[in-house]
Amino acid sequence: MPDCPGPPENGPVGGICTPENGPVAPDGPPARSAMPPRRVIPVLGLGALTVAGLSAACLPWPVATPGAARFVSRGLEPYGLSLTADGPTRLSLLPLPHLRFTRTRIAAGRTGEAGPALAEGGRLTIELSLLALLSGQAEIGGLALDGAALTLPLGPDDARWAEPMRRIAARLEQGAASHPRRVSLTRASVAGAREHGARDLDLVLSWPLWSASLDCAASLTWKGQPARFALAGLRPADLLAGVATPFAATARWPAGSLSAEGTAIAADGLRLSGRGSVETRSLPETLAYWDGDVALSPFVERFSADGTFETDQDGLMLPSLRVEVGSNVLEGAGSARFSEARTAVQATLAADSLNLGPLLGGLVRLFGPASPEGEAAAPPADRSIALKPLTGGDLDLRLSAASSRIGPVLLEDLAASVLVRGGTIEASLGRASLQGATLKGRVALAPVGEDGAETEVKAQGAFDRLDLGALLIDLGQSRWVLGGTQGQFALEGSGRDVASLTEHVSGRAALGSEGGTISGLDLADVIHRNGALAPGALARRNGRTSFDRAGLSLHFSDGVGEIGEGFLTASALTATLRGRLSLTERSFRARAELAPRLAGGQGDPPAARPGTLFEIAGPWNAVSVRRAEHDAPPPNLGGQNGPVARNPSRPPGAVGLPAAARAYAP
């Protein structure tokens, strides 16, 4: 049994400690005596005083505004700022000492010598350091500004912010640890912004004293739509000391997003390096949202880019770049230079497979001819073709692809370039292979006139050994002609819209083929039958016309092409073609003559009897063919009589040829 506490004389009695030795009953714990009333009253009084003190400390106390503003300005002075207010001011001590000002004005400079306002209006809450406050100092631990109008710096040389930025940088370079731990802006507006500019700006800067990293989150309404930004991991002290600091940044807006992470260093200006990505569902929409411009951007919708980057004072370098434009994926390198006047972009990109259909569709929508009545998807003839919307910046783009597709047509080994500079556009096809042929071409567009509303277009190109039969199959047509073909063209024109440009087209074009075959039609049999076809000949498609040479030359002037030379020579016949085609009316009218040849050679004169004449006329999408008499007047393009027949399914009975024969007319 344990001994009872106390001296021996107070030992156990009967095995149980006596009350004097600590009353412990055998059947329960020791008894406790109640606190005397004289002790309860002071404790309750002390608790009441504590609660009253805490309540009083939490309640805001009104203080004199001028004195409180001067006191806070002592804490802002190291940053080159001063504070004035003309509204009521209140002080609260808990949970931390803080002052609440209304109708405030934060300006650059000392109190009494304040310069232009940097933030004006709204309510300002200043959180003060308790230890510094006890020593009579004004050390700002946090700042919250609500509903103010801000004057943001317009650039690194903005004089209004020059002194505050210099003071802030100098203080951070000294390693000062008494920086504000939190700065927040809510419902702020940007003074002087346009009506559709920035508003509802919310910003939070968090920089705890125990951390070297600063985190930032911001949101605003720009042009009526929201945008969000975030920055994390940046060490401002290291950045200003010229030491590399990590960072991670993100941005989101209605049409896209951006993310970047890497390192930042302040050496000859701010330099960033790392990896980033940008994505937008519509490049024109994004550029319009941020008041930017890039050459040829109206032709691009969905766009994304990912790769490594390096920045300097002048622009951006992209040593490794992956670009997605629509369904196309290209890889390479690029750079961008920024200035107040223009943005210059340079890139060299390559792809395994390239779909040029969307780009060609954009060109057709801009420069394509007007639709005939009843057709859709072509622009109106009076649509402006001014280059200004396409040349908001400079562009030097080099493209290469193992295979490229324009609709059903497949190009191989493509090398092309696009150059936009000084308001002009030049697109060059260095090389491409099409069904065994080599293609080259160039298109140059330049503004004309003082207002630049008129555009001059110059185009030239050439191809050699083109397999027309294979190309027709790719286009979904029957393979009615075989043989290698070569050709070239050089055209130019100018105008303010599609109609005027078409009316001023001039130049030349030529096609030639040797050792070819017209499949499905026997022209010698047509001559033998005096211009008629054997019944069912086209349906059977068993006729053939082999020729030695065939050629066609066109000379354009004011939108009308004159067929200067159209001929076909075969062992048993010759064919000639004369006529015109109109680019403005999209119509064709010509006369073809088939004549037999005497045996003996290509130099023999044609047979004495006259050849068989055909008139070919109509709009491009409905050309008709009919037999003509020798004494009939030659076709008059755009004459009063118009095309002879516009319905290809019902040629005149005197023709004697099915409508499909028009596709094989020489």
Side-chain angles (χ1 to χ4, degrees):
M1 177 177 296
D3 296 333
C4 292
E9 59 270 19
N10 295 328
V13 178
I16 302 175
C17 294
T18 61
E20 293 81 1
N21 297 326
V24 177
D27 56 352
R32 297 182 182 272
S33 58
M35 180 180 293
R38 66 178 181 272
R39 296 182 180 179
V40 174
I41 294 175
V43 170
L44 292 177
L46 180 61
L49 290 175
T50 302
V51 172
L54 292 174
S55 300
C58 292
L59 293 175
W61 297 348
V63 296
T65 297
R70 287 193 300 269
F71 181 76
V72 171
S73 293
R74 288 160 51 186
L76 293 174
E77 185 176 345
Y79 303 100
L81 302 172
S82 62
L83 170 68
T84 58
D86 58 4
T89 302
R90 297 182 179 276
L91 170 68
S92 297
L93 297 178
L94 293 179
L96 288 174
H98 55 273
L99 286 163
R100 290 189 177 92
F101 297 90
T102 55
R103 299 196 294 274
T104 58
R105 184 178 187 271
I106 299 177
R110 296 171 174 268
T111 303
E113 303 176 359
L118 306 181
E120 194 166 11
R123 295 179 299 175
L124 174 65
T125 301
I126 298 290
E127 182 182 303
L128 301 172
S129 170
L130 179 60
L131 295 178
L133 186 62
L134 294 177
S135 62
Q137 299 178 357
E139 181 179 315
I140 297 176
L143 183 150
L145 186 59
D146 177 68
L150 306 179
T151 301
L152 298 181
L154 300 178
D157 300 327
D158 193 331
R160 296 171 298 182
W161 281 87
E163 182 63 17
M165 296 303 295
R166 188 189 67 80
R167 292 282 193 95
I168 293 172
R171 184 172 177 83
L172 294 178
E173 287 176 356
Q174 296 172 1
S178 59
H179 57 75
R181 297 180 293 274
R182 183 181 177 88
V183 176
S184 67
L185 303 174
T186 55
R187 299 185 306 127
S189 61
V190 178
R194 297 188 304 272
E195 182 179 354
H196 60 273
R199 57 183 176 83
D200 297 334
L201 172 63
D202 294 342
L203 180 143
V204 176
L205 294 175
S206 178
W207 189 0
L209 292 177
W210 57 85
S211 174
S213 298
L214 178 145
D215 295 337
C216 172
S219 65
L220 58 85
T221 299
W222 176 254
K223 294 186 177 180
Q225 295 182 322
R228 296 181 178 276
F229 308 88
L231 175 67
L234 182 70
R235 297 196 293 264
D238 290 349
L239 181 66
L240 295 173
V243 179
T245 171
F247 76 93
T250 60
R252 294 185 178 276
W253 58 94
S257 63
L258 178 146
S259 64
E261 60 179 8
T263 58
I265 186 171
D268 297 329
L270 180 63
R271 295 178 179 270
L272 306 176
S273 62
R275 188 172 190 88
S277 65
V278 60
E279 181 179 359
T280 175
R281 71 186 181 202
S282 173
L283 184 58
E285 183 179 347
T286 291
L287 293 174
Y289 185 74
W290 294 118
D291 292 331
D293 203 355
V294 174
L296 304 183
S297 60
F299 294 146
V300 181
E301 284 299 323
R302 191 174 69 86
F303 174 86
S304 66
D306 177 271
T308 58
F309 67 88
E310 299 176 4
T311 70
D312 56 20
Q313 291 180 335
D314 298 326
L316 174 70
M317 282 75 70
L318 302 164
S320 176
L321 180 63
R322 184 178 186 271
V323 175
E324 292 187 24
V325 181
S327 60
N328 296 315
V329 179
L330 305 99
E331 296 183 351
S335 65
R337 295 294 174 185
F338 307 103
S339 66
E340 295 182 1
R342 298 175 69 84
T343 298
V345 178
Q346 185 276 330
T348 301
L349 302 173
D352 293 332
S353 178
L354 198 60
N355 181 14
L356 298 176
L359 176 60
L360 183 62
L363 291 173
V364 170
R365 288 193 299 270
L366 181 64
F367 294 103
S371 295
E373 186 176 355
E375 295 186 11
D382 58 353
R383 173 179 295 177
S384 172
I385 55 174
L387 297 180
K388 188 175 181 180
L390 306 177
T391 57
D394 293 341
L395 175 66
D396 185 358
L397 178 62
R398 314 291 176 89
L399 291 175
S400 61
S403 64
S404 306
R405 186 170 292 278
I406 304 176
V409 178
L410 180 65
L411 302 175
E412 297 180 335
D413 192 23
L414 171 74
S417 64
V418 179
L419 182 64
V420 181
R421 184 173 297 168
T424 64
I425 301 175
E426 180 179 331
S428 299
L429 179 62
R431 70 174 186 274
S433 177
L434 173 61
Q435 298 297 347
T438 301
L439 280 67
K440 294 183 179 181
R442 174 180 175 270
V443 178
L445 301 93
V448 179
E450 295 182 358
D451 58 357
E454 187 174 346
T455 298
E456 180 184 56
V457 181
K458 294 183 179 181
Q460 61 185 33
F463 59 89
D464 189 23
R465 300 186 305 275
L466 176 62
D467 187 346
L468 285 180
L471 178 60
L472 289 171
I473 291 177
D474 288 345
L475 294 174
Q477 304 294 323
S478 60
R479 190 177 182 180
W480 61 270
V481 62
L482 306 176
T485 304
Q486 57 276 349
Q488 58 184 356
F489 66 91
L491 303 172
E492 62 180 52
S494 62
R496 289 178 173 266
D497 49 42
V498 175
S500 61
L501 174 64
T502 306
E503 291 174 356
H504 293 87
V505 171
S506 61
R508 58 183 175 80
L511 294 174
S513 180
E514 294 184 0
T517 301
I518 297 177
S519 176
L521 183 64
D522 188 348
L523 292 179
D525 186 63
V526 172
I527 296 175
H528 178 72
R529 295 176 179 273
N530 196 26
L533 281 176
L538 288 180
R540 294 191 299 270
R541 299 191 59 81
N542 57 354
R544 292 172 64 86
T545 301
S546 298
F547 59 87
D548 301 321
R549 296 177 61 229
L552 177 70
S553 64
L554 287 166
H555 297 275
F556 288 91
S557 178
D558 295 332
V560 177
E562 182 85 26
I563 301 177
E565 183 180 17
F567 69 92
L568 179 145
T569 61
S571 60
L573 61 92
T574 62
T576 59
L577 181 68
R578 294 291 186 271
R580 295 180 179 182
L581 63 88
S582 172
L583 299 179
T584 56
E585 298 179 3
R586 304 182 72 190
S587 61
F588 177 79
R589 174 166 277 194
R591 174 172 286 187
E593 181 177 2
L594 294 178
R597 298 183 62 182
L598 295 176
Q602 294 183 4
D604 295 335
R609 67 185 179 90
T612 304
L613 294 180
F614 297 93
E615 285 192 6
I616 308 168
W620 294 355
N621 62 338
V623 176
S624 62
V625 181
R626 76 172 184 177
R627 173 77 179 276
E629 300 298 333
H630 283 272
D631 56 355
N636 179 21
L637 183 65
Q640 298 296 327
N641 296 329
V644 177
R646 293 181 178 271
N647 189 346
S649 63
R650 290 188 178 183
V655 173
L657 295 176
R662 69 182 185 278
Y664 307 102

